[in-house]
């Protein structure tokens, strides 16, 4: 059963994605409000995939991606960015840092599930 970590400063967005993934996939879902919290959670148990926002206080999603890709234990975890930032340069920057996918809000729940399943090779 995949373990998903949702990183977003919006409690509403975290709850919506979390509830959908639990209901539709049965996955284990955990969440964090920023990159610092996310890294702390990953020290206890590395997730199978991370879904992260870009704009967050304390540590944003770009810094989180960069730190994960630089850490041996975390560097291969798939990362999906889910953000309001729709500019091509934001997308390019996140993907160049190591994000696997980039989705813009408002999100479609079925699209998030499909994109999250892909790197885990789940049908």
């Amino acid at each position: 059963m995949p373990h998903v970590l949702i990183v977003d400063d919006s409690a509403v967005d975290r709850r919506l994605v979390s509830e959908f993934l639990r209901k539709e996939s049965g996955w284990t879902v955990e969440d964090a409000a920023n990159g610092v919290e996310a890294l702390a959670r990953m020290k206890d148990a590395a997730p199978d995939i991370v879904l992260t926002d870009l704009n967050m206080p304390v540590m944003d999603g770009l810094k989180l991606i960069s730190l994960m890709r630089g850490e041996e234990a975390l560097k291969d975890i798939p990362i999906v960015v889910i953000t309001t930032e729709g500019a091509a340069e934001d997308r390019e920057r996140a993907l160049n840092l190591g994000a696997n996918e980039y989705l813009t809000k408002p999100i479609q729940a079925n699209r998030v599930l499909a994109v999250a399943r892909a790197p885990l090779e789940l049908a």
Side-chain angles (χ1 to χ4, degrees):
M1 190 71 48
H3 172 207
V4 181
L5 177 60
I6 300 167
V7 189
D8 196 316
D9 60 320
S10 166
V12 171
D13 286 351
R14 287 193 316 267
R15 187 174 61 251
L16 288 173
V17 174
S18 177
E19 287 175 3
F20 176 79
L21 289 177
R22 282 188 184 111
K23 179 182 170 213
E24 294 300 316
S25 69
W27 294 351
T28 301
V29 181
E30 156 172 49
D31 63 62
N34 59 61
V36 171
E37 283 185 24
L39 289 172
R41 295 203 194 302
M42 286 187 245
K43 289 195 187 305
D44 295 332
D48 295 302
I49 189 167
V50 172
L51 309 179
T52 186
D53 189 10
L54 290 184
N55 298 319
M56 297 177 287
V58 186
M59 181 191 294
D60 67 19
L62 293 173
K63 183 68 173 175
L64 175 62
I65 294 166
S66 178
L67 290 173
M68 285 179 66
R69 292 304 182 234
E71 178 123 1
E72 188 62 33
L74 306 176
K75 70 180 179 70
D76 295 325
I77 297 171
I79 302 170
V80 176
V81 171
I82 303 174
T83 184
T84 56
E85 300 301 324
E89 55 269 14
D90 293 319
R91 176 184 175 83
E92 186 174 320
R93 188 165 176 212
L95 294 173
N96 285 339
L97 283 172
N100 298 80
E101 289 285 346
Y102 191 97
L103 302 176
T104 54
K105 295 177 183 178
I107 58 170
Q108 296 176 347
N110 288 329
R111 176 82 175 122
V112 171
L113 183 57
V115 166
R117 281 182 168 153
L120 300 175
E121 299 178 8
L122 301 171

